[in-house]
Amino acid sequence: TQSTWGALVTNILSMSDTAEGVKTVDVVEIEGHVVLKIIKHCQESHNAVAGILLGLDIGPTLQVTSCFGSQEDEETQSDYELEMMRHLRDVNVDYLMVGWYRSSSMSSFLDDDTIRCQVLHQETLDKAVCIICDPSLCSRGHLCLKAIRFTDTFMSVLREKQFTREILRKSGLRSSEIYEEIPIRIHNSSLVTASLLQLEQCVQANKSTQFDLLNFSSEQFLESQLQALVDQVDLLSIEHSRIQVYERSILRQKAQQETYLQKRNQENTARRDAGQEEVDEDLSQNPLFKSMEEPSHLSELLTSRLIQSQCAQLNELAGQGLTKVFMVHGVHQS
């Protein structure tokens, strides 16, 4: 029944690493056909898509052997996932959930949805990973897949539900420590490997020169990447301005409080000299002494981490383009 299967899935999700006691992931091993399914799903839609990763948890290696896409309707999503896992179990396919994947362009994957879903998976599964696929890069021949996990420090700060400066100082959390990127290893069966080798030999026999490697049509893509980076820098500047406004408001409030206390002390001194009773005011009821809520620093941290990721991706793409330029320049000289 549906309730029995739901209880079975709950038990499956809660038994991660119980036997081995290992909660770290050193490498994510993905089957080749799973990589193709993820890329195909991400390229078929112009909007962001997501899906479920299935596989096995073997020591420090997380094996991803199957996957399926998620539905856009959140109300039926849970029932759909349970039904898919039940059908995969019936046909003897790995049905244990090991994480999820999503599409993202321009390294802009750190949003509220990603944080909420990944935190939910990591709270349920000790080794849950999120695989990010960039369909725009994959369509240009660059396999852009990354597996991420939130660090323990970031998870502990999230449990506090407050991203104030004091909490960040005590935890020592920096923008570069929000998530860790886990190496990905693509695995194929012996038959698939032999077929790929045979296919490579056929391609080389039919096409002796590969001029596609000298393609210089990456300027437009680099321009869009730079524009996305500029947008993130502008967003970071806005976050800094918001925090500066709060700090100036705090200083102005403190100055007003000191002025008010000084004036009240002078009035009490005058009343005491006149033989009158001093005024005893409850400062907690005074609006001037109400504490101001500190803005969250979460958006600032996420934006800083996205800028770092985009700079690394730009550095990689620009390096490949410069290599082609110098190679063609050498050919012309010779």
Side-chain angles (χ1 to χ4, degrees):
T1 63
Q2 184 71 17
S3 59
T4 305
W5 174 249
L8 175 61
V9 172
T10 303
N11 293 331
I12 290 172
L13 295 178
S14 62
M15 70 180 185
S16 176
D17 304 328
T18 303
E20 299 178 5
V22 181
K23 295 186 179 181
T24 58
V25 182
D26 294 339
V27 62
V28 177
E29 186 178 273
I30 310 178
E31 294 294 328
H33 71 277
V34 177
V35 174
L36 296 178
K37 289 177 64 176
I38 292 176
I39 295 176
K40 183 176 182 294
H41 185 206
C42 295
Q43 289 180 342
E44 285 178 345
S45 176
H46 296 288
N47 300 324
V49 296
I52 302 299
L53 300 175
L54 307 174
L56 299 173
D57 176 12
I58 303 178
T61 302
L62 192 68
Q63 295 183 355
V64 180
T65 59
S66 183
C67 69
F68 61 88
S70 299
Q71 288 185 338
E72 296 182 359
D73 189 1
E74 296 183 358
E75 296 181 358
T76 61
Q77 175 61 27
S78 179
D79 295 336
Y80 170 75
E81 293 178 359
L82 293 177
E83 188 71 14
M84 285 293 297
M85 294 169 66
R86 183 177 65 83
H87 288 314
L88 291 174
R89 178 174 176 267
D90 292 340
V91 296
N92 200 23
V93 175
D94 293 334
Y95 62 94
L96 301 181
M97 186 184 300
V98 295
W100 67 295
Y101 70 88
R102 65 156 295 177
S103 62
S104 174
S105 298
M106 310 299 178
S107 299
S108 57
F109 55 88
L110 279 181
D111 51 18
D112 294 339
D113 293 335
T114 301
I115 294 177
R116 183 176 64 255
C117 293
Q118 182 60 21
V119 167
L120 178 62
H121 280 80
Q122 284 192 209
E123 291 287 349
T124 309
L125 299 169
D126 291 332
K127 294 185 181 180
V129 298
C130 175
I131 293 182
I132 308 297
C133 176
D134 192 335
S136 58
L137 275 177
C138 291
S139 62
R140 305 180 64 86
H142 300 279
L143 181 59
C144 186
L145 292 176
K146 63 171 62 177
I148 66 170
R149 276 177 53 85
F150 290 149
T151 60
D152 295 337
T153 305
F154 183 67
M155 292 290 291
S156 62
V157 174
L158 279 176
R159 295 187 186 98
E160 297 290 337
K161 298 181 179 180
Q162 291 182 347
F163 281 85
T164 62
R165 178 171 297 180
E166 182 65 20
I167 292 179
L168 294 179
R169 185 186 63 82
K170 291 181 179 180
S171 63
L173 178 64
R174 297 180 295 179
S175 60
S176 59
E177 299 174 349
I178 292 179
Y179 67 84
E180 56 179 348
E181 189 170 345
I182 304 170
I184 294 179
R185 182 174 63 210
I186 299 178
H187 175 266
N188 290 311
S189 63
S190 300
L191 290 176
V192 174
T193 303
S195 178
L196 290 175
L197 291 175
Q198 185 178 6
L199 181 62
E200 182 180 3
Q201 294 175 359
C202 296
V203 172
Q204 292 178 355
N206 297 330
K207 189 176 182 180
S208 58
T209 306
Q210 297 181 0
F211 292 103
D212 293 339
L213 297 177
L214 302 178
N215 184 15
F216 286 90
S217 61
S218 59
E219 288 81 3
Q220 183 178 3
F221 182 76
L222 288 176
E223 182 179 353
S224 60
Q225 284 277 5
L226 286 173
Q227 183 60 46
L229 180 60
V230 170
D231 294 339
Q232 293 296 334
V233 172
D234 291 340
L235 182 59
L236 183 62
S237 177
I238 294 175
E239 292 297 326
H240 285 170
S241 300
R242 184 170 59 90
I243 295 175
Q244 289 176 358
V245 169
Y246 166 75
E247 292 177 349
R248 287 195 294 266
S249 300
I250 288 294
L251 293 177
R252 184 166 56 252
Q253 186 186 44
K254 288 183 178 179
Q256 293 175 353
Q257 290 174 356
E258 292 177 358
T259 302
Y260 179 83
L261 291 176
Q262 184 178 6
K263 181 179 179 181
R264 198 186 67 169
N265 290 334
Q266 292 175 357
E267 292 178 353
N268 286 333
T269 301
R271 293 175 66 90
R272 187 170 53 252
D273 294 341
Q276 299 177 359
E277 185 179 356
E278 297 182 3
V279 177
D280 187 12
E281 181 183 359
D282 187 8
L283 298 179
S284 61
Q285 302 299 326
N286 192 328
L288 189 61
F289 288 86
K290 289 186 177 180
S291 60
M292 301 179 62
E293 184 178 358
E294 182 177 355
S296 174
H297 292 259
L298 177 60
S299 180
E300 179 186 6
L301 283 174
L302 298 180
T303 305
S304 300
R305 188 64 182 91
L306 284 176
I307 291 176
Q308 297 174 13
S309 178
Q310 290 178 344
C311 288
Q313 192 174 68
L314 276 172
N315 187 27
E316 180 181 356
L317 294 175
Q320 295 175 359
L322 289 175
T323 301
K324 294 179 182 179
V325 170
F326 283 114
M327 182 175 62
V328 173
H329 180 67
V331 172
H332 281 297
Q333 285 184 342
S334 61

